[in-house]
Amino acid sequence: MGFVQRALFTWFILLVFLILLCLRLESRISWNWFLVFIPLWLYDTILITWVVIEIIQRQRIISFRHYEYYVAGILLKIVSQIAVCLKLEYNSIPLYAMMVPVWCLLAMLIVYMATNLQPKPRSIGSNKSSRQTAGGAGASSSS
């Protein structure tokens, strides 16, 4: 599936969720909040399936540490959706307890961004171009 198809599918899922959310908030439907969140549960299921397939396919090339942030992010997103549904449907948990998975997800995203956006250290001899190291005398005579 190409990038455009994935983006369109994501927007379609979000559109269906927002329609159900608006209908529920305007009291046009009296569904359970867990049913309103079905489009997001479907999307999360597809995401988990994709991550598991990627881990299995690239098991020998890339270690699991490459995907641990993805798995943790998806699981924290699911837990936060469950907490929101529990809060909206039963009002059984306090607001701060409902927000704990969201705060953990945000902290994890900050750590992920901080570790992956910093420039990688370069070795001392890495400033040479590939032509100088591979070309030999022919590359040096052209300057």
Side-chain angles (χ1 to χ4, degrees), residues 107-131:
M108 187 195 70
L109 287 174
I110 290 170
V111 169
Y112 177 75
M113 295 300 287
T115 58
N116 287 328
L117 284 182
Q118 66 184 10
K120 304 291 182 204
R122 296 170 66 180
S123 63
I124 294 173
S126 65
N127 288 337
K128 295 180 181 178
S129 69
S130 61
R131 277 191 276 155

mmCIF file with all atom_site columns, all heavy atoms in Angstrom, residues 107-131:
data_model
loop_
_atom_site.group_PDB
_atom_site.id
_atom_site.type_symbol
_atom_site.label_atom_id
_atom_site.label_alt_id
_atom_site.label_comp_id
_atom_site.label_asym_id
_atom_site.label_entity_id
_atom_site.label_seq_id
_atom_site.pdbx_PDB_ins_code
_atom_site.Cartn_x
_atom_site.Cartn_y
_atom_site.Cartn_z
_atom_site.occupancy
_atom_site.B_iso_or_equiv
_atom_site.pdbx_formal_charge
_atom_site.auth_seq_id
_atom_site.auth_comp_id
_atom_site.auth_asym_id
_atom_site.auth_atom_id
_atom_site.pdbx_PDB_model_num
ATOM 1   N N   . ALA A 1 107 ? 5.936  11.905 27.429 1.00 0.00 ? 107 ALA A N   1
ATOM 2   C CA  . ALA A 1 107 ? 7.318  11.817 27.913 1.00 0.00 ? 107 ALA A CA  1
ATOM 3   C C   . ALA A 1 107 ? 8.140  10.879 27.030 1.00 0.00 ? 107 ALA A C   1
ATOM 4   O O   . ALA A 1 107 ? 9.295  11.176 26.709 1.00 0.00 ? 107 ALA A O   1
ATOM 5   C CB  . ALA A 1 107 ? 7.322  11.329 29.359 1.00 0.00 ? 107 ALA A CB  1
ATOM 6   N N   . MET A 1 108 ? 7.545  9.762  26.615 1.00 0.00 ? 108 MET A N   1
ATOM 7   C CA  . MET A 1 108 ? 8.247  8.827  25.743 1.00 0.00 ? 108 MET A CA  1
ATOM 8   C C   . MET A 1 108 ? 8.538  9.463  24.380 1.00 0.00 ? 108 MET A C   1
ATOM 9   O O   . MET A 1 108 ? 9.615  9.275  23.814 1.00 0.00 ? 108 MET A O   1
ATOM 10  C CB  . MET A 1 108 ? 7.426  7.557  25.558 1.00 0.00 ? 108 MET A CB  1
ATOM 11  C CG  . MET A 1 108 ? 8.184  6.488  24.812 1.00 0.00 ? 108 MET A CG  1
ATOM 12  S SD  . MET A 1 108 ? 7.145  5.180  24.218 1.00 0.00 ? 108 MET A SD  1
ATOM 13  C CE  . MET A 1 108 ? 6.227  6.001  22.939 1.00 0.00 ? 108 MET A CE  1
ATOM 14  N N   . LEU A 1 109 ? 7.593  10.249 23.863 1.00 0.00 ? 109 LEU A N   1
ATOM 15  C CA  . LEU A 1 109 ? 7.823  10.932 22.587 1.00 0.00 ? 109 LEU A CA  1
ATOM 16  C C   . LEU A 1 109 ? 8.942  11.956 22.690 1.00 0.00 ? 109 LEU A C   1
ATOM 17  O O   . LEU A 1 109 ? 9.743  12.106 21.758 1.00 0.00 ? 109 LEU A O   1
ATOM 18  C CB  . LEU A 1 109 ? 6.534  11.601 22.112 1.00 0.00 ? 109 LEU A CB  1
ATOM 19  C CG  . LEU A 1 109 ? 5.458  10.675 21.581 1.00 0.00 ? 109 LEU A CG  1
ATOM 20  C CD1 . LEU A 1 109 ? 4.183  11.454 21.287 1.00 0.00 ? 109 LEU A CD1 1
ATOM 21  C CD2 . LEU A 1 109 ? 5.921  9.953  20.338 1.00 0.00 ? 109 LEU A CD2 1
ATOM 22  N N   . ILE A 1 110 ? 9.030  12.652 23.818 1.00 0.00 ? 110 ILE A N   1
ATOM 23  C CA  . ILE A 1 110 ? 10.113 13.612 24.013 1.00 0.00 ? 110 ILE A CA  1
ATOM 24  C C   . ILE A 1 110 ? 11.462 12.896 24.039 1.00 0.00 ? 110 ILE A C   1
ATOM 25  O O   . ILE A 1 110 ? 12.433 13.332 23.407 1.00 0.00 ? 110 ILE A O   1
ATOM 26  C CB  . ILE A 1 110 ? 9.883  14.431 25.293 1.00 0.00 ? 110 ILE A CB  1
ATOM 27  C CG1 . ILE A 1 110 ? 8.703  15.383 25.100 1.00 0.00 ? 110 ILE A CG1 1
ATOM 28  C CG2 . ILE A 1 110 ? 11.133 15.200 25.691 1.00 0.00 ? 110 ILE A CG2 1
ATOM 29  C CD1 . ILE A 1 110 ? 8.246  16.057 26.361 1.00 0.00 ? 110 ILE A CD1 1
ATOM 30  N N   . VAL A 1 111 ? 11.535 11.767 24.741 1.00 0.00 ? 111 VAL A N   1
ATOM 31  C CA  . VAL A 1 111 ? 12.782 11.000 24.795 1.00 0.00 ? 111 VAL A CA  1
ATOM 32  C C   . VAL A 1 111 ? 13.132 10.473 23.407 1.00 0.00 ? 111 VAL A C   1
ATOM 33  O O   . VAL A 1 111 ? 14.291 10.542 22.971 1.00 0.00 ? 111 VAL A O   1
ATOM 34  C CB  . VAL A 1 111 ? 12.654 9.843  25.816 1.00 0.00 ? 111 VAL A CB  1
ATOM 35  C CG1 . VAL A 1 111 ? 13.817 8.869  25.696 1.00 0.00 ? 111 VAL A CG1 1
ATOM 36  C CG2 . VAL A 1 111 ? 12.560 10.393 27.218 1.00 0.00 ? 111 VAL A CG2 1
ATOM 37  N N   . TYR A 1 112 ? 12.143 9.953  22.682 1.00 0.00 ? 112 TYR A N   1
ATOM 38  C CA  . TYR A 1 112 ? 12.383 9.424  21.335 1.00 0.00 ? 112 TYR A CA  1
ATOM 39  C C   . TYR A 1 112 ? 12.905 10.521 20.411 1.00 0.00 ? 112 TYR A C   1
ATOM 40  O O   . TYR A 1 112 ? 13.858 10.312 19.663 1.00 0.00 ? 112 TYR A O   1
ATOM 41  C CB  . TYR A 1 112 ? 11.095 8.816  20.785 1.00 0.00 ? 112 TYR A CB  1
ATOM 42  C CG  . TYR A 1 112 ? 11.217 8.303  19.377 1.00 0.00 ? 112 TYR A CG  1
ATOM 43  C CD1 . TYR A 1 112 ? 11.877 7.116  19.104 1.00 0.00 ? 112 TYR A CD1 1
ATOM 44  C CD2 . TYR A 1 112 ? 10.678 9.013  18.316 1.00 0.00 ? 112 TYR A CD2 1
ATOM 45  C CE1 . TYR A 1 112 ? 11.998 6.645  17.819 1.00 0.00 ? 112 TYR A CE1 1
ATOM 46  C CE2 . TYR A 1 112 ? 10.793 8.547  17.024 1.00 0.00 ? 112 TYR A CE2 1
ATOM 47  C CZ  . TYR A 1 112 ? 11.445 7.366  16.779 1.00 0.00 ? 112 TYR A CZ  1
ATOM 48  O OH  . TYR A 1 112 ? 11.572 6.907  15.506 1.00 0.00 ? 112 TYR A OH  1
ATOM 49  N N   . MET A 1 113 ? 12.271 11.680 20.452 1.00 0.00 ? 113 MET A N   1
ATOM 50  C CA  . MET A 1 113 ? 12.700 12.768 19.580 1.00 0.00 ? 113 MET A CA  1
ATOM 51  C C   . MET A 1 113 ? 14.094 13.268 19.966 1.00 0.00 ? 113 MET A C   1
ATOM 52  O O   . MET A 1 113 ? 14.906 13.575 19.104 1.00 0.00 ? 113 MET A O   1
ATOM 53  C CB  . MET A 1 113 ? 11.695 13.927 19.635 1.00 0.00 ? 113 MET A CB  1
ATOM 54  C CG  . MET A 1 113 ? 10.340 13.562 19.075 1.00 0.00 ? 113 MET A CG  1
ATOM 55  S SD  . MET A 1 113 ? 10.382 13.051 17.369 1.00 0.00 ? 113 MET A SD  1
ATOM 56  C CE  . MET A 1 113 ? 10.677 14.592 16.579 1.00 0.00 ? 113 MET A CE  1
ATOM 57  N N   . ALA A 1 114 ? 14.367 13.339 21.258 1.00 0.00 ? 114 ALA A N   1
ATOM 58  C CA  . ALA A 1 114 ? 15.682 13.825 21.705 1.00 0.00 ? 114 ALA A CA  1
ATOM 59  C C   . ALA A 1 114 ? 16.788 12.861 21.316 1.00 0.00 ? 114 ALA A C   1
ATOM 60  O O   . ALA A 1 114 ? 17.893 13.285 20.961 1.00 0.00 ? 114 ALA A O   1
ATOM 61  C CB  . ALA A 1 114 ? 15.673 14.039 23.215 1.00 0.00 ? 114 ALA A CB  1
ATOM 62  N N   . THR A 1 115 ? 16.515 11.561 21.351 1.00 0.00 ? 115 THR A N   1
ATOM 63  C CA  . THR A 1 115 ? 17.566 10.599 21.006 1.00 0.00 ? 115 THR A CA  1
ATOM 64  C C   . THR A 1 115 ? 17.735 10.420 19.514 1.00 0.00 ? 115 THR A C   1
ATOM 65  O O   . THR A 1 115 ? 18.815 10.066 19.062 1.00 0.00 ? 115 THR A O   1
ATOM 66  C CB  . THR A 1 115 ? 17.273 9.231  21.644 1.00 0.00 ? 115 THR A CB  1
ATOM 67  O OG1 . THR A 1 115 ? 15.999 8.770  21.205 1.00 0.00 ? 115 THR A OG1 1
ATOM 68  C CG2 . THR A 1 115 ? 17.316 9.315  23.151 1.00 0.00 ? 115 THR A CG2 1
ATOM 69  N N   . ASN A 1 116 ? 16.695 10.680 18.730 1.00 0.00 ? 116 ASN A N   1
ATOM 70  C CA  . ASN A 1 116 ? 16.800 10.445 17.287 1.00 0.00 ? 116 ASN A CA  1
ATOM 71  C C   . ASN A 1 116 ? 17.058 11.704 16.471 1.00 0.00 ? 116 ASN A C   1
ATOM 72  O O   . ASN A 1 116 ? 17.402 11.603 15.297 1.00 0.00 ? 116 ASN A O   1
ATOM 73  C CB  . ASN A 1 116 ? 15.540 9.763  16.768 1.00 0.00 ? 116 ASN A CB  1
ATOM 74  C CG  . ASN A 1 116 ? 15.484 8.327  17.193 1.00 0.00 ? 116 ASN A CG  1
ATOM 75  O OD1 . ASN A 1 116 ? 16.507 7.673  17.343 1.00 0.00 ? 116 ASN A OD1 1
ATOM 76  N ND2 . ASN A 1 116 ? 14.289 7.833  17.412 1.00 0.00 ? 116 ASN A ND2 1
ATOM 77  N N   . LEU A 1 117 ? 16.923 12.877 17.049 1.00 0.00 ? 117 LEU A N   1
ATOM 78  C CA  . LEU A 1 117 ? 17.176 14.098 16.293 1.00 0.00 ? 117 LEU A CA  1
ATOM 79  C C   . LEU A 1 117 ? 18.571 14.649 16.491 1.00 0.00 ? 117 LEU A C   1
ATOM 80  O O   . LEU A 1 117 ? 19.008 15.485 15.723 1.00 0.00 ? 117 LEU A O   1
ATOM 81  C CB  . LEU A 1 117 ? 16.153 15.172 16.661 1.00 0.00 ? 117 LEU A CB  1
ATOM 82  C CG  . LEU A 1 117 ? 14.768 14.986 16.060 1.00 0.00 ? 117 LEU A CG  1
ATOM 83  C CD1 . LEU A 1 117 ? 13.874 16.145 16.468 1.00 0.00 ? 117 LEU A CD1 1
ATOM 84  C CD2 . LEU A 1 117 ? 14.816 14.885 14.554 1.00 0.00 ? 117 LEU A CD2 1
ATOM 85  N N   . GLN A 1 118 ? 19.271 14.205 17.513 1.00 0.00 ? 118 GLN A N   1
ATOM 86  C CA  . GLN A 1 118 ? 20.622 14.713 17.706 1.00 0.00 ? 118 GLN A CA  1
ATOM 87  C C   . GLN A 1 118 ? 21.530 14.149 16.615 1.00 0.00 ? 118 GLN A C   1
ATOM 88  O O   . GLN A 1 118 ? 21.364 13.025 16.176 1.00 0.00 ? 118 GLN A O   1
ATOM 89  C CB  . GLN A 1 118 ? 21.144 14.350 19.083 1.00 0.00 ? 118 GLN A CB  1
ATOM 90  C CG  . GLN A 1 118 ? 21.356 12.868 19.307 1.00 0.00 ? 118 GLN A CG  1
ATOM 91  C CD  . GLN A 1 118 ? 21.773 12.590 20.730 1.00 0.00 ? 118 GLN A CD  1
ATOM 92  O OE1 . GLN A 1 118 ? 21.715 13.469 21.563 1.00 0.00 ? 118 GLN A OE1 1
ATOM 93  N NE2 . GLN A 1 118 ? 22.194 11.383 20.994 1.00 0.00 ? 118 GLN A NE2 1
ATOM 94  N N   . PRO A 1 119 ? 22.464 14.950 16.151 1.00 0.00 ? 119 PRO A N   1
ATOM 95  C CA  . PRO A 1 119 ? 23.344 14.469 15.077 1.00 0.00 ? 119 PRO A CA  1
ATOM 96  C C   . PRO A 1 119 ? 24.236 13.336 15.569 1.00 0.00 ? 119 PRO A C   1
ATOM 97  O O   . PRO A 1 119 ? 24.674 13.314 16.712 1.00 0.00 ? 119 PRO A O   1
ATOM 98  C CB  . PRO A 1 119 ? 24.164 15.700 14.693 1.00 0.00 ? 119 PRO A CB  1
ATOM 99  C CG  . PRO A 1 119 ? 24.038 16.634 15.846 1.00 0.00 ? 119 PRO A CG  1
ATOM 100 C CD  . PRO A 1 119 ? 22.758 16.318 16.545 1.00 0.00 ? 119 PRO A CD  1
ATOM 101 N N   . LYS A 1 120 ? 24.471 12.394 14.686 1.00 0.00 ? 120 LYS A N   1
ATOM 102 C CA  . LYS A 1 120 ? 25.334 11.256 15.008 1.00 0.00 ? 120 LYS A CA  1
ATOM 103 C C   . LYS A 1 120 ? 26.783 11.726 15.022 1.00 0.00 ? 120 LYS A C   1
ATOM 104 O O   . LYS A 1 120 ? 27.205 12.516 14.176 1.00 0.00 ? 120 LYS A O   1
ATOM 105 C CB  . LYS A 1 120 ? 25.160 10.133 13.989 1.00 0.00 ? 120 LYS A CB  1
ATOM 106 C CG  . LYS A 1 120 ? 23.747 9.648  13.838 1.00 0.00 ? 120 LYS A CG  1
ATOM 107 C CD  . LYS A 1 120 ? 23.303 8.934  15.076 1.00 0.00 ? 120 LYS A CD  1
ATOM 108 C CE  . LYS A 1 120 ? 21.892 8.426  14.876 1.00 0.00 ? 120 LYS A CE  1
ATOM 109 N NZ  . LYS A 1 120 ? 21.178 8.214  16.056 1.00 0.00 ? 120 LYS A NZ  1
ATOM 110 N N   . PRO A 1 121 ? 27.575 11.267 15.977 1.00 0.00 ? 121 PRO A N   1
ATOM 111 C CA  . PRO A 1 121 ? 28.993 11.666 16.000 1.00 0.00 ? 121 PRO A CA  1
ATOM 112 C C   . PRO A 1 121 ? 29.726 11.103 14.786 1.00 0.00 ? 121 PRO A C   1
ATOM 113 O O   . PRO A 1 121 ? 29.512 9.959  14.384 1.00 0.00 ? 121 PRO A O   1
ATOM 114 C CB  . PRO A 1 121 ? 29.513 11.067 17.309 1.00 0.00 ? 121 PRO A CB  1
ATOM 115 C CG  . PRO A 1 121 ? 28.542 10.013 17.687 1.00 0.00 ? 121 PRO A CG  1
ATOM 116 C CD  . PRO A 1 121 ? 27.230 10.385 17.073 1.00 0.00 ? 121 PRO A CD  1
ATOM 117 N N   . ARG A 1 122 ? 30.570 11.926 14.194 1.00 0.00 ? 122 ARG A N   1
ATOM 118 C CA  . ARG A 1 122 ? 31.326 11.515 13.016 1.00 0.00 ? 122 ARG A CA  1
ATOM 119 C C   . ARG A 1 122 ? 32.751 11.190 13.431 1.00 0.00 ? 122 ARG A C   1
ATOM 120 O O   . ARG A 1 122 ? 33.298 11.789 14.338 1.00 0.00 ? 122 ARG A O   1
ATOM 121 C CB  . ARG A 1 122 ? 31.321 12.631 11.987 1.00 0.00 ? 122 ARG A CB  1
ATOM 122 C CG  . ARG A 1 122 ? 29.908 12.922 11.480 1.00 0.00 ? 122 ARG A CG  1
ATOM 123 C CD  . ARG A 1 122 ? 29.856 14.164 10.665 1.00 0.00 ? 122 ARG A CD  1
ATOM 124 N NE  . ARG A 1 122 ? 30.618 13.999 9.432  1.00 0.00 ? 122 ARG A NE  1
ATOM 125 C CZ  . ARG A 1 122 ? 30.746 14.942 8.524  1.00 0.00 ? 122 ARG A CZ  1
ATOM 126 N NH1 . ARG A 1 122 ? 30.182 16.119 8.710  1.00 0.00 ? 122 ARG A NH1 1
ATOM 127 N NH2 . ARG A 1 122 ? 31.446 14.735 7.444  1.00 0.00 ? 122 ARG A NH2 1
ATOM 128 N N   . SER A 1 123 ? 33.333 10.258 12.721 1.00 0.00 ? 123 SER A N   1
ATOM 129 C CA  . SER A 1 123 ? 34.725 9.934  13.013 1.00 0.00 ? 123 SER A CA  1
ATOM 130 C C   . SER A 1 123 ? 35.639 11.016 12.447 1.00 0.00 ? 123 SER A C   1
ATOM 131 O O   . SER A 1 123 ? 35.230 11.827 11.626 1.00 0.00 ? 123 SER A O   1
ATOM 132 C CB  . SER A 1 123 ? 35.078 8.569  12.435 1.00 0.00 ? 123 SER A CB  1
ATOM 133 O OG  . SER A 1 123 ? 34.962 8.605  11.034 1.00 0.00 ? 123 SER A OG  1
ATOM 134 N N   . ILE A 1 124 ? 36.890 11.017 12.864 1.00 0.00 ? 124 ILE A N   1
ATOM 135 C CA  . ILE A 1 124 ? 37.823 12.075 12.486 1.00 0.00 ? 124 ILE A CA  1
ATOM 136 C C   . ILE A 1 124 ? 38.074 12.085 10.978 1.00 0.00 ? 124 ILE A C   1
ATOM 137 O O   . ILE A 1 124 ? 38.097 13.118 10.355 1.00 0.00 ? 124 ILE A O   1
ATOM 138 C CB  . ILE A 1 124 ? 39.152 11.915 13.258 1.00 0.00 ? 124 ILE A CB  1
ATOM 139 C CG1 . ILE A 1 124 ? 38.890 12.147 14.737 1.00 0.00 ? 124 ILE A CG1 1
ATOM 140 C CG2 . ILE A 1 124 ? 40.208 12.880 12.738 1.00 0.00 ? 124 ILE A CG2 1
ATOM 141 C CD1 . ILE A 1 124 ? 40.064 11.858 15.624 1.00 0.00 ? 124 ILE A CD1 1
ATOM 142 N N   . GLY A 1 125 ? 38.194 10.954 10.363 1.00 0.00 ? 125 GLY A N   1
ATOM 143 C CA  . GLY A 1 125 ? 38.504 10.895 8.939  1.00 0.00 ? 125 GLY A CA  1
ATOM 144 C C   . GLY A 1 125 ? 37.289 10.869 8.044  1.00 0.00 ? 125 GLY A C   1
ATOM 145 O O   . GLY A 1 125 ? 37.401 10.601 6.855  1.00 0.00 ? 125 GLY A O   1
ATOM 146 N N   . SER A 1 126 ? 36.112 11.169 8.540  1.00 0.00 ? 126 SER A N   1
ATOM 147 C CA  . SER A 1 126 ? 34.914 11.053 7.714  1.00 0.00 ? 126 SER A CA  1
ATOM 148 C C   . SER A 1 126 ? 34.646 12.285 6.867  1.00 0.00 ? 126 SER A C   1
ATOM 149 O O   . SER A 1 126 ? 33.689 12.312 6.126  1.00 0.00 ? 126 SER A O   1
ATOM 150 C CB  . SER A 1 126 ? 33.694 10.782 8.604  1.00 0.00 ? 126 SER A CB  1
ATOM 151 O OG  . SER A 1 126 ? 33.469 11.896 9.428  1.00 0.00 ? 126 SER A OG  1
ATOM 152 N N   . ASN A 1 127 ? 35.480 13.321 6.941  1.00 0.00 ? 127 ASN A N   1
ATOM 153 C CA  . ASN A 1 127 ? 35.281 14.510 6.129  1.00 0.00 ? 127 ASN A CA  1
ATOM 154 C C   . ASN A 1 127 ? 35.757 14.313 4.696  1.00 0.00 ? 127 ASN A C   1
ATOM 155 O O   . ASN A 1 127 ? 35.476 15.131 3.839  1.00 0.00 ? 127 ASN A O   1
ATOM 156 C CB  . ASN A 1 127 ? 35.989 15.706 6.742  1.00 0.00 ? 127 ASN A CB  1
ATOM 157 C CG  . ASN A 1 127 ? 35.300 16.200 7.995  1.00 0.00 ? 127 ASN A CG  1
ATOM 158 O OD1 . ASN A 1 127 ? 34.110 15.948 8.166  1.00 0.00 ? 127 ASN A OD1 1
ATOM 159 N ND2 . ASN A 1 127 ? 36.035 16.872 8.848  1.00 0.00 ? 127 ASN A ND2 1
ATOM 160 N N   . LYS A 1 128 ? 36.485 13.250 4.416  1.00 0.00 ? 128 LYS A N   1
ATOM 161 C CA  . LYS A 1 128 ? 36.957 12.988 3.063  1.00 0.00 ? 128 LYS A CA  1
ATOM 162 C C   . LYS A 1 128 ? 35.798 12.549 2.198  1.00 0.00 ? 128 LYS A C   1
ATOM 163 O O   . LYS A 1 128 ? 34.912 11.842 2.631  1.00 0.00 ? 128 LYS A O   1
ATOM 164 C CB  . LYS A 1 128 ? 38.025 11.892 3.068  1.00 0.00 ? 128 LYS A CB  1
ATOM 165 C CG  . LYS A 1 128 ? 39.281 12.293 3.785  1.00 0.00 ? 128 LYS A CG  1
ATOM 166 C CD  . LYS A 1 128 ? 40.276 11.167 3.739  1.00 0.00 ? 128 LYS A CD  1
ATOM 167 C CE  . LYS A 1 128 ? 41.539 11.536 4.479  1.00 0.00 ? 128 LYS A CE  1
ATOM 168 N NZ  . LYS A 1 128 ? 42.491 10.428 4.490  1.00 0.00 ? 128 LYS A NZ  1
ATOM 169 N N   . SER A 1 129 ? 35.800 12.965 0.968  1.00 0.00 ? 129 SER A N   1
ATOM 170 C CA  . SER A 1 129 ? 34.740 12.545 0.061  1.00 0.00 ? 129 SER A CA  1
ATOM 171 C C   . SER A 1 129 ? 34.999 11.112 -0.394 1.00 0.00 ? 129 SER A C   1
ATOM 172 O O   . SER A 1 129 ? 36.093 10.581 -0.290 1.00 0.00 ? 129 SER A O   1
ATOM 173 C CB  . SER A 1 129 ? 34.659 13.480 -1.145 1.00 0.00 ? 129 SER A CB  1
ATOM 174 O OG  . SER A 1 129 ? 35.797 13.303 -1.954 1.00 0.00 ? 129 SER A OG  1
ATOM 175 N N   . SER A 1 130 ? 33.990 10.485 -0.925 1.00 0.00 ? 130 SER A N   1
ATOM 176 C CA  . SER A 1 130 ? 34.129 9.105  -1.364 1.00 0.00 ? 130 SER A CA  1
ATOM 177 C C   . SER A 1 130 ? 35.023 8.997  -2.594 1.00 0.00 ? 130 SER A C   1
ATOM 178 O O   . SER A 1 130 ? 35.628 7.974  -2.839 1.00 0.00 ? 130 SER A O   1
ATOM 179 C CB  . SER A 1 130 ? 32.744 8.514  -1.660 1.00 0.00 ? 130 SER A CB  1
ATOM 180 O OG  . SER A 1 130 ? 32.122 9.258  -2.691 1.00 0.00 ? 130 SER A OG  1
ATOM 181 N N   . ARG A 1 131 ? 35.125 10.076 -3.395 1.00 0.00 ? 131 ARG A N   1
ATOM 182 C CA  . ARG A 1 131 ? 36.001 10.031 -4.561 1.00 0.00 ? 131 ARG A CA  1
ATOM 183 C C   . ARG A 1 131 ? 37.467 9.992  -4.159 1.00 0.00 ? 131 ARG A C   1
ATOM 184 O O   . ARG A 1 131 ? 38.282 9.346  -4.784 1.00 0.00 ? 131 ARG A O   1
ATOM 185 C CB  . ARG A 1 131 ? 35.772 11.251 -5.451 1.00 0.00 ? 131 ARG A CB  1
ATOM 186 C CG  . ARG A 1 131 ? 34.593 11.073 -6.379 1.00 0.00 ? 131 ARG A CG  1
ATOM 187 C CD  . ARG A 1 131 ? 34.562 12.165 -7.393 1.00 0.00 ? 131 ARG A CD  1
ATOM 188 N NE  . ARG A 1 131 ? 33.878 13.302 -6.775 1.00 0.00 ? 131 ARG A NE  1
ATOM 189 C CZ  . ARG A 1 131 ? 34.058 14.559 -7.133 1.00 0.00 ? 131 ARG A CZ  1
ATOM 190 N NH1 . ARG A 1 131 ? 34.906 14.868 -8.075 1.00 0.00 ? 131 ARG A NH1 1
ATOM 191 N NH2 . ARG A 1 131 ? 33.402 15.512 -6.550 1.00 0.00 ? 131 ARG A NH2 1
#
